[in-house]
Amino acid sequence: MKTILLIGIGPGDPDALTLAAIKAIGRADVFFFLEKEGEGKDSLIRFRQQILQTHRGDQSYRTATVALPERDRETAGYVGAVEDWHRRRTALIATLIDTEMAEGETAGMLIWGDPSLYDGAIQHLRDLIESGRADLSFEVIPGITSIQMLAARHKIPLNRIGESITITTGRQIEQADPASITNAVVMLDSRAAFRRLEGAGDVDIYWGGDVGGPDEILIAGPLDAVADRIERAIALQRARKGWIMDNYLLRRRPQPS
Ligand SMILES: C[S@@+](CC[C@H](N)C(=O)[O-])C[C@H]1O[C@@H](n2cnc3c(N)ncnc32)[C@H](O)[C@@H]1O
């Protein structure tokens, strides 16, 4: 049997690693690095290497790095392109397992934030096992998500008493009916989709850029009042270091009864 550990490492704060993650890091014979081209690649690699240095010390381990295929952004069908991309990534992981692990070994994959939130690794491994790989098992070690870090940094609860929370993407929030939003956490927004909700009048935003990391920026307030400032902060961070990861909570203010 070969075992893969999907280890959530939090969203950029080395102190946000859990004890379970540190123990799992100690168990792996080899670490797989699946590197995405593009924004932030080098810093994300550096962060993972720092974690290994800190928590493996002198204990030796192997690493195997592959470049992840880019998603086809030209083709019109978004779902088809994502499915194809997932298939190619699954095949790459299968190759790493076949070529970089001996029978009985354990591999670690350091997953940004938590593996259950907008990350493909769990599905890739489920697909491999369902396709007949009886020699394989995997474990998920949860991490602090960028959403938890956002709420902690702003010192807010994600919902007020009894309310629902939606977790969604920039792509989806652009299509959403503004009236349907009570508490919406938005991720994967590369085009400042919050601007679409300006003028709704009673929406607050709690925005975070690179939360938990050394370049963290936090801005909160009525959406109409702070939207410009947020867009400027995004542009500034991109100009300064080439990339930014941001997320935010949109919250409708209670209506006067
Ligand atoms: C592919 S998803 C991965 C999410 C991750 N698994 C998690 O648990 O947070 C990447 C998105 O997460 C959000 N994100 C990740 N790290 C972040 C950070 N440090 N600060 C703000 N947003 C972050 C951004 O919306 C980014 O586009």
Side-chain angles (χ1 to χ4, degrees):
M1 186 64 77
K2 295 178 179 179
T3 306
I4 315 290
L5 306 175
L6 300 182
I7 308 170
I9 56 170
D13 176 357
D15 285 350
L17 229 60
T18 68
L19 290 177
I22 294 169
K23 283 185 191 160
I25 286 169
R27 282 170 59 198
D29 302 292
V30 57
F31 291 91
F32 294 162
F33 290 103
L34 279 69
E35 300 311 346
K36 246 188 267 182
E37 279 307 318
E39 295 186 340
K41 177 174 165 252
D42 295 342
S43 322
L44 299 188
I45 296 175
R46 250 195 325 275
F47 182 71
R48 290 186 171 94
Q49 285 169 342
Q50 261 167 23
I51 282 183
L52 291 188
Q53 268 158 23
T54 309
H55 297 290
R56 286 293 290 246
D58 294 336
Q59 205 191 346
S60 73
Y61 55 87
R62 310 190 306 275
T63 58
T65 305
V66 287
L68 280 178
E70 284 285 313
R71 178 153 61 77
D72 176 3
R73 290 173 199 277
E74 305 304 316
T75 317
Y78 173 73
V79 174
V82 171
E83 279 171 1
D84 174 57
W85 183 53
H86 268 261
R87 266 192 299 275
R88 287 188 290 145
R89 291 166 62 123
T90 306
L92 263 181
I93 295 174
T95 306
L96 282 175
I97 292 168
D98 290 338
T99 58
E100 303 289 341
M101 293 176 80
E103 174 54 28
E105 280 198 326
T106 299
M109 290 172 64
L110 305 182
I111 311 284
W112 195 254
D114 178 73
S116 71
L117 186 67
Y118 292 114
D119 189 279
I122 294 180
Q123 196 55 52
H124 296 317
L125 289 172
R126 291 183 69 92
D127 288 349
L128 278 179
I129 289 170
E130 274 162 29
S131 73
R133 299 279 312 232
D135 62 327
L136 203 60
S137 74
F138 74 98
E139 295 172 31
V140 178
I141 293 90
I144 305 279
T145 66
S146 56
I147 298 178
Q148 290 164 289
M149 193 60 85
L150 176 79
R153 290 295 199 254
H154 278 290
K155 303 184 202 170
I156 50 164
L158 285 173
N159 62 295
R160 292 160 300 199
I161 296 171
E163 286 180 346
S164 62
I165 316 162
T166 304
I167 298 174
T168 187
T169 63
R171 184 180 279 269
Q172 303 260 7
I173 207 79
E174 274 185 343
Q175 318 293 331
D177 171 8
S180 68
I181 292 168
T182 308
N183 302 287
V185 175
V186 183
M187 306 179 62
L188 295 161
D189 178 6
S190 55
R191 44 198 171 199
F194 51 84
R195 297 230 74 145
R196 245 251 311 128
L197 298 160
E198 275 182 275
D202 53 357
V203 174
D204 289 325
I205 185 168
Y206 297 86
W207 176 87
D210 298 321
V211 293
D215 304 312
E216 176 179 276
I217 319 168
L218 301 171
I219 298 175
L223 177 61
D224 292 354
V226 297
D228 280 345
R229 242 176 84 205
I230 294 173
E231 241 196 312
R232 274 201 305 276
I234 293 171
L236 219 79
Q237 192 90 308
R238 284 216 175 105
R240 205 170 61 80
K241 64 174 194 174
W243 60 281
I244 184 169
M245 273 197 278
D246 66 324
N247 57 3
Y248 49 91
L249 172 71
L250 295 170
R251 166 169 293 159
R252 186 171 301 286
R253 258 168 263 137
Q255 303 300 303
S257 46

